[in-house]
Amino acid sequence: MTAQVLFSSQDKYRDESKRPAAGTGSGNSADLSNVIADGGRIFTASELKQYTGEDPKKPIYLAILGQVFDVTKGKEHYGKGGGYGFFSGRDSTRAFVTGDFTEKGLIDDIKGLSYENLIGIKEWIDFYRKDYTYAGKLVGRYYNSEGEPAAILSKIKTRLTKAYKLREEAQVENFKMPGCNTRWTKEEGTVYWCENKSGAIERDWAGVPRRLFSKDGKFKRCACIRTTGPPSYESDKNTNNGDLGLSLLREYEGCDPTSNTCKANDVQ
């Protein structure tokens, strides 16, 4: 199995991996206590480079977010010739969530990564803590020569707290306004439709397709909107047309607003 396969399908493991599903359980209130490591040996970058599996007498180590793990028991994967050998002997935090396994991508800098990427890094730490052995800390971006955490780790914990909150909000939004089914053909263009299982949310209503926007006016996705009953969101209007009155929704031009199917005007 190649590393490319490992990182496909939204970064879910296939073979040696047993990484937790997205969100480490509920996905909403992850324990962040292991983001900053405690104890263990202090490694320099040059020392860590000695543990790649090239020398069969030495263990195999890798680092993520400055935490060093002994992955020797997975030497068929992390050792010489293994599909994930490029992770060994260094901190490649960024590559764990980007899938960029070039020398340019195998770095510890996480600048510019999304909130979901940060959660992904946290889930990798959970995985290695559970399935492998914590060995210590790497001197550099995340820990000093005394093993003390750099200020950036506290900032990462703060961002992770927000990341899990955003994920929870997105899950609630997706439950109330599930995603549309979508297909595209050269003859029809894009077709959106809603049914009582679209968006992987099983329910007793189908809804109608609407364009859903963020509060800053950016288009997010097609959403199936409930058309009967009281609104799901706070409203000063006493209506019985479901969530059709939500200000973040727009109708698709040229589509019947009462139909559960919409053909976009993008035939090529």
Side-chain angles (χ1 to χ4, degrees):
M1 181 185 67
T2 65
Q4 283 75 11
V5 172
L6 171 67
F7 282 82
S8 66
S9 185
Q10 298 180 348
D11 290 346
K12 290 182 179 179
Y13 283 91
R14 295 290 176 86
D15 188 1
E16 76 94 21
S17 63
K18 295 179 181 177
R19 177 183 172 193
T24 59
S26 68
N28 303 328
S29 56
D31 178 6
L32 303 183
S33 61
N34 63 10
V35 173
I36 299 178
D38 184 31
R41 174 181 168 182
I42 298 175
F43 294 82
T44 63
S46 59
E47 288 174 333
L48 189 61
K49 286 181 180 178
Q50 301 175 29
Y51 301 96
T52 63
E54 291 284 340
D55 185 345
K57 296 181 180 179
K58 293 182 178 180
I60 303 171
Y61 295 148
L62 62 75
I64 179 168
L65 213 65
Q67 299 187 33
V68 180
F69 293 93
D70 184 336
V71 294
T72 308
K73 74 175 186 178
K75 61 182 178 181
E76 67 271 30
H77 305 290
Y78 296 102
K80 184 177 181 180
Y84 325 136
F86 44 72
F87 285 133
S88 301
R90 62 170 120 191
D91 188 328
S92 305
T93 301
R94 191 178 192 89
F96 277 95
V97 292
T98 64
D100 181 356
F101 308 128
T102 65
E103 286 301 310
K104 185 178 179 180
L106 290 163
I107 58 177
D108 63 354
D109 187 2
I110 64 171
K111 184 178 180 180
L113 293 182
S114 68
Y115 285 113
E116 277 297 315
N117 286 153
L118 289 180
I119 291 177
I121 292 170
K122 171 63 169 60
E123 290 173 345
W124 278 100
I125 292 175
D126 292 339
F127 167 72
Y128 285 111
R129 285 275 181 174
K130 178 177 180 292
D131 282 31
Y132 290 94
T133 303
Y134 169 72
K137 309 168 189 175
L138 176 64
V139 176
R141 187 180 300 274
Y142 301 108
Y143 296 91
N144 66 18
S145 60
E146 301 298 320
E148 298 170 336
I152 189 176
L153 285 174
S154 293
K155 294 179 181 178
I156 290 172
K157 287 185 71 173
T158 298
R159 289 199 71 204
L160 274 168
T161 298
K162 184 174 181 179
Y164 279 104
K165 181 180 179 181
L166 289 173
R167 174 181 274 187
E168 182 177 9
E169 291 173 351
Q171 290 173 340
V172 171
E173 177 186 89
N174 190 55
F175 182 78
K176 293 179 178 180
M177 297 185 290
C180 306
N181 291 326
T182 306
R183 70 171 182 268
W184 181 91
T185 63
K186 187 176 182 180
E187 295 72 26
E188 288 186 300
T190 304
V191 178
Y192 304 99
W193 78 98
C194 298
E195 56 187 9
N196 61 3
K197 291 184 180 180
S198 53
I201 303 296
E202 190 166 355
R203 53 198 186 274
D204 59 5
W205 53 273
V208 294
R210 290 291 188 272
R211 292 179 296 155
L212 175 62
F213 290 81
S214 61
K215 292 180 180 179
D216 60 3
K218 295 180 180 179
F219 173 72
K220 296 175 69 174
R221 59 182 174 87
C222 176
C224 292
I225 306 302
R226 186 167 50 83
T227 61
T228 60
S232 302
Y233 298 88
E234 290 185 13
S235 173
D236 57 1
K237 298 179 181 179
N238 186 17
T239 63
N240 196 43
N241 62 350
D243 292 317
L244 290 176
L246 185 65
S247 62
L248 300 178
L249 299 173
R250 300 287 185 276
E251 294 180 3
Y252 280 95
E253 295 182 8
C255 292
D256 180 353
T258 64
S259 174
N260 67 349
T261 302
C262 172
K263 292 184 179 181
N265 187 24
D266 62 353
V267 176
Q268 295 183 355

